């Protein structure tokens, strides 16, 4: 006789909130709240990290803030990018390198294309100013 099947497969269980990026993003968006439309029509790219927020957390926070205020997030700099939101340093997960934000490829590309570059405080000022700094 075959052994009974387990009622649940541990490898298929969803991780707890602390480990589940989707749940973390949902909680973060709820904490940011429904903003206004200050960033409507603007496109943003995010790069870097801060002393307080590691790369993923910084990106998730900025993403939630931008989307709550009507902005759009993209993953790469293009001619259609309005703002690059930077942390204080860059981290390359592929090479494992950390350095000044000015050394990051997104930062350099934004400079080449003439894209507006700001930090988190600048983004918050942009939101408070209704889309203008």
């Amino acid at each position: 006789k075959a052994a009974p099947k387990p009622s649940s497969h541990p490898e298929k269980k969803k991780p707890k909130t602390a480990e589940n990026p989707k749940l973390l993003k949902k909680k973060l968006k709820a904490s940011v709240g429904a903003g206004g439309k200050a960033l409507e029509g603007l496109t943003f790219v995010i790069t870097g990290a801060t002393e307080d927020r590691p790369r993923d957390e910084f990106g998730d926070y900025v993403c939630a803030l931008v989307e709550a205020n009507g902005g759009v997030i993209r993953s790469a700099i293009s001619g259609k990018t309005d703002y690059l939101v930077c942390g204080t340093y860059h981290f390359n997960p592929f090479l494992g390198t950390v350095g000044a934000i000015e050394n990051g490829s997104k930062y350099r590309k934004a400079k080449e294309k003439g894209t507006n570059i700001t930090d988190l405080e600048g983004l918050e000022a942009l939101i408070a100013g209704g889309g203008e700094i």
Side-chain angles (χ1 to χ4, degrees):
K1 196 173 191 180
K5 289 185 178 181
S7 60
S8 66
H9 298 283
E11 66 275 3
K12 291 186 179 181
K13 284 185 180 178
K14 288 188 177 182
K16 295 177 185 175
T17 304
E19 303 164 355
N20 188 330
K22 287 184 181 180
L23 288 177
L24 287 175
K25 283 183 183 181
K26 189 174 181 179
K27 281 186 170 189
L28 189 56
K29 284 183 181 181
S31 73
V32 167
K37 297 294 179 191
L39 306 179
E40 193 168 35
L42 297 176
T43 302
F44 296 81
V45 173
I46 305 164
T47 191
T50 64
E51 295 297 321
D52 317 1
R53 298 176 194 264
R55 183 173 167 260
D56 290 340
E57 187 180 323
F58 177 75
D60 290 346
Y61 179 75
V62 172
C63 181
L65 199 55
V66 167
E67 289 177 346
N69 286 280
V72 176
I73 298 291
R74 296 287 180 246
S75 61
I77 298 290
S78 75
K80 295 180 181 180
T81 305
D82 295 299
Y83 286 91
L84 173 66
V85 182
C86 298
T88 52
Y89 66 91
H90 87 95
F91 171 72
N92 184 323
F94 302 106
L95 300 176
T97 58
V98 176
I101 196 68
E102 294 82 8
N103 295 335
S105 60
K106 286 182 184 175
Y107 185 93
R108 289 192 313 264
K109 191 168 184 179
K111 278 290 215 188
E112 288 171 15
K113 292 193 173 284
T115 301
N116 296 306
I117 299 173
T118 189
D119 57 10
L120 183 55
E121 290 77 25
L123 175 64
E124 291 168 343
L126 186 66
I127 292 167
E132 295 182 21
I133 294 181

